Amino acid sequence: MSAQIESVLQEERIFPVPEAFARQANVSGMAQYEALQAEAEKDNAGFWARLARENLTWIKPFTRSLDESNAPFYKWFEDGELNVSANCLDRHLGTPVENETAIIFEADDGAITRVTYRELYERVCRFASGLKALGYKKGDRAIIYLPMSIQGVVAMQACARLGIIHSVVFGGFSSKSLHERIIDVGATLVVTADEQVRGGRNIPLKAAIDEAFAMGGCEAVRKVIVYQRTGAKVAMESGRDITWDQAIEGQPAECAPEPVSAEHPLFVLYTSGSTGKPKGVQHSSGGFLLQAVMSMKWTFDLKPEDVFWCTADIGWVTGHTYITYGPLACGATEIVFEGIPTWPNSGRFWEMIARHKVTIFYTAPTAIRSLVKAGETSPDHHPRNYDLSSLRLLGSVGEPINPEAWMWYYTNVGGERCPIVDTWWQTETGAHMINPLPGVHALKPGSCAMPLPGIEATIVDETGAEVERGKGGFLVIKKPWPAMIRTIWNDPERFKSSYYPADFQGRYYVAGDGASRDLDGYFWIMGRIDDVLNVSGHRLGTMEIESALVAHDLVAEAAVVGRPDDVTGEAIVAFVVLKGPRPSGAEAKEVATTLRNWVGKEIGPIAKPKEIRFGENLPKTRSGKIMRRLLRNVAKGEEVTQDVSTLENPAILDQLKEAS
Ligand code: WTA
């Protein structure tokens, strides 16, 4: 960790908390926020214990809040027992929520399905009963490779009901990525669909599972359950593959929830790090659910009348916390959307907000930026043409939101009346960590404001000393929190070295982001300081993409960097040295296409480089280290002003300036 971060711009615009909003807010006004913070400061573990008792339903109450005896492998509420699915479903039975709508599902083609909490409960129980009948039980691992669907939520909830640890793989990952995850997590069950439908196109899913199996080593998987989304004909291996309907046929709509320790892993979700293969981030049951619930109430100010829409996919952590678990545990009505924001036209989000009277809308800056552009080129689908008056709160997640996009969102979508909660968090943190509370904090476009109650975040320099206000540094979290990552599946050492590095004597959780605080104490996130890229809010490791490239027969060496992109935030640029001569012209184009598709197959389409440049070599120091900083300059099209005399081969830079 050597990145030196300079302080950022100061944003002058400030938007005070609308008084009417503050009056009705769950956390109403600064005094209430400060009281929560003071309570947490006095006794952090006691603070979370109180909330856990008040907000979750326990089968067996816990007696101890935080166990630090084996730090940084922290444990929360460990001797308590609960069931996450029972907290999301059973707890609403016999209350007025039972017959309320839990999910409004809108398919790609606009078809709408509504399920009440009672119906969702029955669907989950039936599927869980089916899994039980197939012999699955607590501690087993399931890979879920499903589209955005009610079935996706049901499959996850059914696993939670039985204590089966799920690992959801985003539909945009390839068979190779699936294969790695099936093996690493030790899955014995796979739940998938024949196809997914996005933007009017059918995309195979089951075929990718078959390809993954063909790579060998997946013999532990006993059953593959296939939800027939489109009814496409897919290969079904007899004895192993069954349809969703077969799995639930004749199964009872009751299934007792399995009590699990609060520390029982609820899920493992793979995400990219700066080195090596994706890491399986392991989350707990009790602590995770607690912060999912608290952030729904604090950040989103959730009320029983709200219609909540988080546009993330269940394949990412945002979909876990803010689709499958948080909203349901709170008894909310939520939208689950199968499609994409630009189909059949770029007004789709706005049309859906109007149609379903969405009150809280949570999306990613990359979606906002692409819709800003689309709104300009096709003015008919600009948000001003839709009735968005139901909205009362907006949210942003996944990457820094640039102040221009923030202003556009605030003005055109929120009608200058809705606060925007810019939420900083990570797969590893499990839930929101730093964001404004809409009834408490004045907003500054581009700043994620302040830590949530109970979270102690700060910024330190290389020595671990806290930096002054206005100076940049490493974003760290000082105290453990209930929803935090427990370990990396199969790799506890990597957990320690990644998040509690020796550089800081293991004192802090190191997020991997650079940040600064302004004079008001507001946090400003500057992005990753490691070799992780953020492309359209998707996390990708440069090393992963480099490994994929060099795995191709033609490639001798590769270096991958990010460059800023107006829509996707960052774009992937790959510098490649072939084993043969450096290609040019049409040949270079052809090889670039081959390599792009190759990366698509190795990792997934989301990892395809936007640009590939060929050189006879890469810029290296005399000791053979690739000069990535120079490559970043070249990728951005910047003049290289620094001294290149220490380079082994300075002439190579000219070759790499040419894109193919
Ligand atoms: C970035 C997504 C600035 C950050 C929930 C972090 C953000 C990484 C924000 C985690 C935000 C996420 N402002 N940056 N509001 N939210 N990030 O694991 O770099 O997919 O480390 O979790 O996204 O990405 P992940």
Side-chain angles (χ1 to χ4, degrees):
M1 288 192 291
S2 61
Q4 188 62 54
I5 297 141
E6 297 305 320
S7 71
V8 275
L9 73 162
Q10 288 287 318
E11 171 65 50
E12 299 297 336
R13 285 167 291 201
I14 297 187
F15 296 84
V17 181
E19 227 171 82
F21 196 105
R23 257 199 309 276
Q24 60 78 59
N26 291 338
V27 184
S28 174
M30 190 54 86
Q32 212 180 331
Y33 169 76
E34 282 175 353
L36 286 168
Q37 273 200 320
E39 182 192 349
E41 213 163 288
K42 222 166 115 209
D43 174 11
N44 195 274
F47 170 73
W48 288 116
R50 173 178 75 76
L51 295 173
R53 284 191 196 100
E54 290 173 2
N55 290 279
L56 301 182
T57 305
W58 295 88
I59 297 169
K60 179 177 160 238
F62 57 89
T63 61
R64 252 179 321 140
S65 181
L66 169 65
D67 176 356
E68 300 183 275
S69 59
N70 189 25
F73 299 92
Y74 298 102
K75 290 178 179 162
W76 287 89
F77 324 123
E78 195 196 6
D79 65 346
E81 286 184 1
L82 79 174
N83 180 279
V84 170
S85 161
N87 267 275
C88 295
L89 302 168
D90 310 37
R91 72 178 340 192
H92 305 307
L93 303 183
T95 79
V97 176
E98 174 170 349
N99 297 311
E100 294 284 343
T101 303
I103 295 178
I104 303 172
F105 173 70
E106 185 163 318
D108 192 62
D109 67 3
I112 293 165
T113 312
R114 286 189 168 76
V115 292
T116 64
Y117 272 89
R118 158 61 63 180
E119 288 162 345
L120 187 63
Y121 165 83
E122 289 181 359
R123 283 195 187 209
V124 169
C125 284
R126 218 170 254 126
F127 193 67
S129 300
L131 295 181
K132 219 169 164 175
L134 291 168
Y136 289 105
K137 55 178 195 317
K138 178 164 144 184
D140 289 345
R141 272 89 62 202
I143 287 278
I144 296 180
Y145 190 59
L146 281 171
M148 285 298 288
S149 52
I150 297 171
Q151 285 74 7
V153 175
V154 167
M156 292 165 80
Q157 286 280 348
C159 285
R161 198 162 187 87
L162 298 180
I164 296 170
I165 303 161
H166 61 67
S167 186
V168 183
V169 179
F170 175 58
F173 280 116
S174 68
S175 51
K176 188 83 187 291
S177 296
L178 262 170
H179 180 250
E180 259 172 39
R181 287 157 172 75
I182 291 171
I183 292 176
D184 190 73
V185 86
T188 53
L189 168 68
V190 170
V191 187
T192 188
D194 48 6
E195 297 184 312
Q196 59 177 331
V197 186
R198 285 165 64 80
R201 287 194 315 135
N202 293 10
I203 307 157
L205 286 179
K206 172 62 163 59
I209 299 282
D210 294 338
E211 276 176 41
F213 275 88
M215 292 170 197
C218 303
E219 292 73 24
V221 177
R222 289 190 285 110
K223 287 285 174 228
V224 177
I225 301 177
V226 184
Y227 158 50
Q228 291 167 297
R229 165 63 186 89
T230 63
K233 221 177 145 29
V234 295
M236 295 291 278
E237 191 175 301
S238 100
R240 189 195 68 191
D241 301 353
I242 59 170
T243 65
W244 181 284
D245 290 345
Q246 285 167 337
I248 59 172
E249 201 183 327
Q251 293 298 333
E254 295 284 333
C255 176
E258 180 75 29
V260 301
S261 153
E263 278 298 315
H264 180 71
L266 178 62
F267 64 88
V268 172
L269 184 59
Y270 286 83
T271 190
S272 296
S274 42
T275 54
K277 289 194 183 307
K279 357 184 212 197
V281 172
Q282 180 183 318
H283 276 288
S284 69
S285 297
F288 170 81
L289 188 65
L290 175 62
Q291 279 186 255
V293 168
M294 293 324 300
S295 52
M296 287 300 303
K297 296 183 181 177
W298 287 340
T299 305
F300 293 127
D301 190 47
L302 190 81
K303 304 282 163 48
E305 327 63 81
D306 278 310
V307 178
F308 178 78
W309 183 13
C310 163
T311 69
D313 192 284
I314 51 166
W316 307 112
V317 73
T318 309
H320 282 59
T321 313
Y322 299 109
I323 293 176
T324 302
Y325 294 113
L328 296 178
C330 294
T333 296
E334 66 171 331
I335 310 286
V336 172
F337 176 42
E338 181 179 42
I340 59 172
T342 48
W343 196 85
N345 59 61
S346 57
R348 183 70 184 263
F349 275 180
W350 324 132
E351 192 187 309
M352 283 180 61
I353 290 170
R355 177 159 45 243
H356 301 298
K357 305 216 166 10
V358 171
T359 59
I360 305 171
F361 180 64
Y362 189 37
T363 196
T366 185
I368 298 165
R369 288 191 301 262
S370 75
L371 293 170
V372 171
K373 277 204 164 168
E376 280 162 15
T377 50
S378 82
D380 286 357
H381 303 120
H382 189 279
R384 75 171 88 84
N385 302 315
Y386 300 82
D387 176 8
L388 304 181
S389 59
S390 57
L391 287 171
R392 67 181 194 94
L393 181 63
L394 302 175
S396 171
V397 60
E399 48 180 319
I401 178 165
N402 41 311
E404 287 62 43
W406 193 102
M407 284 305 300
W408 186 89
Y409 194 31
Y410 184 76
T411 311
N412 295 292
V413 183
E416 298 181 358
R417 120 194 129 257
C418 306
I420 298 180
V421 286
D422 176 2
T423 59
W424 178 86
W425 60 297
Q426 309 177 293
T427 305
E428 294 87 341
T429 69
H432 297 157
M433 299 292 279
I434 309 180
N435 55 256
L437 295 192
V440 175
H441 297 108
L443 306 172
K444 302 188 188 190
S447 164
C448 57
M450 298 279 194
L452 288 182
I455 303 300
E456 287 192 24
T458 192
I459 296 164
V460 299
D461 66 16
E462 272 102 341
T463 67
E466 295 195 29
V467 302
E468 303 162 37
R469 297 276 166 97
K471 289 261 160 49
F474 301 95
L475 177 60
V476 300
I477 312 291
K478 293 206 273 191
K479 283 197 177 137
W481 63 100
M484 69 187 295
I485 174 176
R486 292 305 191 261
T487 187
I488 291 174
W489 186 261
N490 280 337
D491 204 346
E493 277 312 309
R494 193 170 172 204
F495 163 74
K496 262 169 112 164
S497 60
S498 304
Y499 304 109
Y500 286 90
D503 312 37
F504 301 142
Q505 301 81 45
R507 274 183 299 156
Y508 302 125
Y509 169 87
V510 180
D513 280 332
S516 73
R517 291 182 86 169
D518 64 20
L519 299 179
D520 298 328
Y522 274 47
F523 282 76
W524 296 79
I525 309 292
M526 286 173 284
R528 304 289 310 191
I529 41 179
D530 50 13
D531 294 318
V532 171
L533 303 182
N534 193 328
V535 182
S536 297
H538 301 155
R539 254 171 87 168
L540 294 160
T542 53
M543 291 280 283
E544 257 173 282
I545 307 172
E546 288 168 11
S547 309
L549 283 166
V550 296
H552 193 280
D553 275 351
L554 290 173
V555 177
E557 213 176 358
V560 167
V561 300
R563 81 160 146 68
D565 184 281
D566 279 353
V567 173
T568 58
E570 271 186 303
I572 304 167
V573 180
F575 296 90
V576 170
V577 182
L578 296 184
K579 287 177 185 159
R582 171 173 181 257
S584 60
E587 193 198 347
K589 283 213 160 53
E590 203 176 299
V591 181
T593 307
T594 307
L595 294 181
R596 232 177 251 133
N597 292 337
W598 169 263
V599 173
K601 273 196 114 55
E602 288 285 295
I603 304 174
I606 53 173
K608 284 185 182 181
K610 179 148 186 183
E611 225 179 83
I612 298 188
R613 302 183 183 202
F614 297 100
E616 279 155 13
N617 207 333
L618 297 173
K620 289 182 190 148
T621 61
R622 285 178 213 280
S623 59
K625 219 166 128 47
I626 297 175
M627 299 281 285
R628 281 166 199 282
R629 199 150 34 92
L630 279 184
L631 289 176
R632 270 183 223 119
N633 293 139
V634 173
K636 281 190 211 163
E638 290 171 353
E639 271 313 306
V640 175
T641 49
Q642 49 199 304
D643 180 12
V644 291
S645 60
T646 55
L647 278 187
E648 168 80 32
N649 47 358
I652 216 71
L653 287 176
D654 290 328
Q655 277 185 2
L656 296 173
K657 282 181 192 152
E658 273 173 52
S660 51

